[in-house]
Amino acid sequence: MYRFLNTPRWWGINLFVLLAIPFCVFMGTWQLGKFEDRVDSHQEAEERPAASAAKAEPLESLLPVDKETSGRAAEARGRFGDQFLVPGRELDGRAGSYVLTLLRTDGGRSLPVVRGWLPEGGRAPAPPSGEVTVVGALQASENQGSKGVNAAGGLPEGQLGMISAASLVNVVTDDVYDAWITLADSPAGLTPVPAAAAAGTGLDAKAFQNLGYTAEWFVFAGFVLFMWFRLVRREAEASRDAALGL
């Protein structure tokens, strides 16, 4: 009754099933691993001491910014220069702007420093004069996909839509670091801006998307096996009916 399994047609079906099921299991396991990596990265970020409590390290030793160095306490020394507002930034559900001031470091390059968050209608305090040492959480440059970024342009002079070296290259003459820091202690009138989690480490929608893909691949594997049994059963019943002359 199962002699049909030796036909070329069924050899092709069996080969497809033998390849499809391990492939689906592999892809499901890979997606699960991606989700577990995000969970581990999120836990490491949660356990990492806040920038205000951790011992600050020299800025240069933490560059370039990656998953390990993002959020770490960085220290830089220099003099404050140009100041900008970064509008459209919410904090605790309130609308306002980041106050970004460039720190010309002793090495000659300028570091974007977010000194704090300013509510709408507020006046940004002037940066201190003279040489200063700043300590804050290191952050990677923003891109068009970052939360709060205004990539459309058309902002008034003195405002930026995105915190990055690319957005500053046309408005300042300094060589700007491809990174920025947010101060743990802001001056009066400003609220400290919390450090954002490094890309690929937070438990966001994309992380749970990996978990959903995991379930889908295992469902595909089960579906392939179910369809194989169903086809075999239908073919066996057809063969049995043919043998009985039905």
Side-chain angles (χ1 to χ4, degrees):
M1 186 170 60
Y2 294 97
R3 204 174 302 166
F4 62 86
L5 291 173
N6 287 323
T7 61
R9 172 172 169 266
W10 273 93
W11 273 108
I13 293 175
N14 293 337
L15 180 62
F16 171 78
V17 171
L18 289 174
L19 293 176
I21 291 178
F23 176 76
C24 291
V25 171
F26 169 77
M27 291 300 296
T29 304
W30 179 72
Q31 289 287 352
L32 181 60
K34 296 283 285 183
F35 176 73
E36 290 175 342
D37 289 344
R38 294 290 288 266
V39 172
D40 292 340
S41 298
H42 177 71
Q43 290 177 342
E44 290 175 4
E46 288 289 315
E47 294 169 359
R48 186 178 299 161
S52 57
K55 182 180 178 181
E57 301 176 55
L59 173 67
E60 295 289 348
S61 67
L62 299 175
L63 298 176
V65 187
D66 55 23
K67 291 181 181 180
E68 293 297 322
T69 60
S70 179
R72 297 266 289 273
E75 181 182 75
R77 186 170 180 80
R79 294 175 180 270
F80 280 120
D82 296 326
Q83 182 161 284
F84 302 90
L85 290 181
V86 187
R89 302 304 175 103
E90 290 188 356
L91 186 65
D92 298 331
R94 296 180 297 161
S97 305
Y98 290 170
V99 177
L100 183 147
T101 312
L102 291 180
L103 179 77
R104 179 180 279 274
T105 64
D106 295 339
R109 301 174 68 186
S110 289
L111 173 68
V113 177
V114 172
R115 297 198 297 130
W117 176 86
L118 182 72
E120 279 190 352
R123 184 180 179 85
S129 59
E131 191 146 357
V132 296
T133 298
V134 296
V135 175
L138 185 64
Q139 301 280 269
S141 288
E142 295 181 333
N143 54 56
Q144 293 187 0
S146 301
K147 184 178 180 182
V149 163
N150 176 7
L155 293 173
E157 185 178 354
Q159 294 189 10
L160 295 174
M162 179 167 56
I163 307 173
S164 71
S167 64
L168 285 162
V169 68
N170 294 323
V171 295
V172 297
T173 57
D174 297 346
D175 183 16
V176 181
Y177 281 99
D178 189 21
W180 57 285
I181 65 171
T182 172
L183 297 186
D185 297 315
S186 296
L190 300 179
T191 304
V193 175
T201 60
L203 290 180
D204 52 13
K206 189 173 182 180
F208 288 100
Q209 197 175 42
N210 291 129
L211 191 61
Y213 289 152
T214 299
E216 286 182 4
W217 281 112
F218 286 127
V219 168
F220 290 157
F223 179 74
V224 170
L225 190 60
F226 166 76
M227 289 303 298
W228 184 83
F229 276 113
R230 183 171 181 179
L231 289 173
V232 168
R233 180 179 178 184
R234 188 179 68 177
E235 196 85 12
E237 290 176 349
S239 299
R240 182 185 61 192
D241 292 344
L244 296 173
L246 299 178

